Amino acid sequence: CSSDLLEAAACGLAIITSCSCSMPEFIKDGANGLFFKPCDAQDLADKISKLINDQSLQEKINENAAIELQSKWNNETRVGQLFDTYKIL
C-alpha cells in the first residue's frame, strides 16, 4: 500500500487512484476513495470533476478514509502485520 496515498488520506485529502495497481487493500471505491480506469484520462477527469462538484461525497470519502486509517492502518496494526510476515518467512 502506497504510504503517500495513506498520508494524503490522513491529511483529509480525497484519494483518486488507478484501479489496476494502487491501494485495493485500502480503497473501497466510492466509500473512502475513487478508482479510475488505467490509461483513461477521461475517466480520471470525470472522477476529479465528481469530487469537485459533490461536496457531500468528498466529505464522506474523507471521513470514511480517516475511520479506515484509525482502525486498520495505525502503527500498532501495521507493526503486527509486519511481524506476521516475518514469522511466515
Side-chain angles (χ1 to χ4, degrees), residues 1-88:
C1 187
S2 171
S3 62
D4 294 340
L5 294 178
L6 290 175
E7 289 174 16
C11 291
L13 300 173
I15 296 173
I16 303 173
T17 189
S18 166
C19 58
S20 69
C21 61
S22 297
M23 310 285 291
E25 66 276 13
F26 176 71
I27 298 296
K28 308 299 180 254
D29 192 38
N32 64 355
L34 295 174
F35 283 128
F36 68 91
K37 297 173 195 154
C39 303
D40 189 337
Q42 185 58 56
D43 190 41
L44 174 57
D46 291 345
K47 298 298 167 67
I48 292 169
S49 293
K50 185 175 185 174
L51 276 181
I52 289 172
N53 295 316
D54 190 341
Q55 186 68 32
S56 65
L57 175 63
Q58 192 177 111
E59 290 170 1
K60 178 183 100 170
I61 286 174
N62 293 345
E63 183 178 327
N64 288 341
I67 291 168
E68 182 83 8
L69 280 169
Q70 292 169 2
S71 65
K72 296 181 183 173
W73 295 88
N74 58 54
N75 286 338
E76 184 177 316
T77 302
R78 297 296 284 167
V79 168
Q81 292 169 342
L82 183 61
F83 281 131
D84 290 344
T85 300
Y86 282 119
K87 287 177 188 176
I88 294 169

